[in-house]
Amino acid sequence: MSTVQKNNVVRYQDKRYPVRYGFVGRKVQVFLDYTKNLVTVHLPETGECIGKKCIDDIGSSLTAPTMLEDLPEPLKRYVQSKEELLERIEKRFGPELHKVGVHIAKLNNSFARRHLN
């Protein structure tokens, strides 16, 4: 049994394995399948798989952020690009507010995503 750490990884046999967002502090089971070259992480009480990774790929995933599809809906907008945020503003609030958003994004280029959120 291992515990999910605050950066959404499980440490097992001196290696870190990524898991989905939202399981920090939970006890999990790590399964290494060398025949399939696969690592899976499961919740012991339900058997649900919360992480899956090729063994050869483990090192590259440690610096990558959590996958977008694994994030809950309220957090997805914080990882969207400036263009995706402007598109969401236009769909939700209309073309007039989209124009305001484009203007704000031009004025504050380095902080555009922060201001649009």
Side-chain angles (χ1 to χ4, degrees):
M1 290 283 232
S2 298
T3 304
V4 178
Q5 297 174 354
K6 65 181 176 181
N7 52 354
N8 296 308
V9 296
V10 173
R11 189 180 180 116
Y12 182 74
Q13 295 180 348
D14 291 329
K15 295 190 181 194
R16 292 180 180 92
Y17 303 103
V19 298
R20 287 194 328 240
Y21 176 83
F23 294 96
V24 174
R26 300 276 302 269
K27 295 281 186 191
V28 294
Q29 293 177 321
V30 178
F31 296 99
L32 302 167
D33 186 345
Y34 292 104
T35 59
K36 294 180 181 176
N37 196 34
L38 191 66
V39 176
T40 56
V41 182
H42 297 268
L43 294 174
E45 58 273 3
T46 63
E48 177 187 3
C49 179
I50 62 169
K52 188 183 290 189
K53 197 74 177 159
C54 289
I55 291 173
D56 294 340
D57 264 355
I58 296 302
S60 64
S61 68
L62 295 179
T63 57
T66 304
M67 299 301 292
L68 179 61
E69 59 269 8
D70 293 338
L71 289 173
E73 282 302 318
L75 293 180
K76 283 184 181 178
R77 69 181 186 162
Y78 292 103
V79 295
Q80 288 179 324
S81 69
K82 176 175 68 173
E83 291 75 21
E84 291 170 321
L85 289 169
L86 286 169
E87 184 180 311
R88 187 170 58 85
I89 287 171
E90 185 171 23
K91 284 180 185 174
R92 187 165 181 198
F93 301 108
E96 292 301 315
L97 203 52
H98 177 263
K99 289 179 187 175
V100 172
V102 168
H103 182 71
I104 289 172
K106 283 182 184 175
L107 292 177
N108 302 300
N109 197 16
S110 62
F111 292 104
R113 285 183 26 201
R114 180 183 296 175
H115 292 287
L116 291 172
N117 268 319

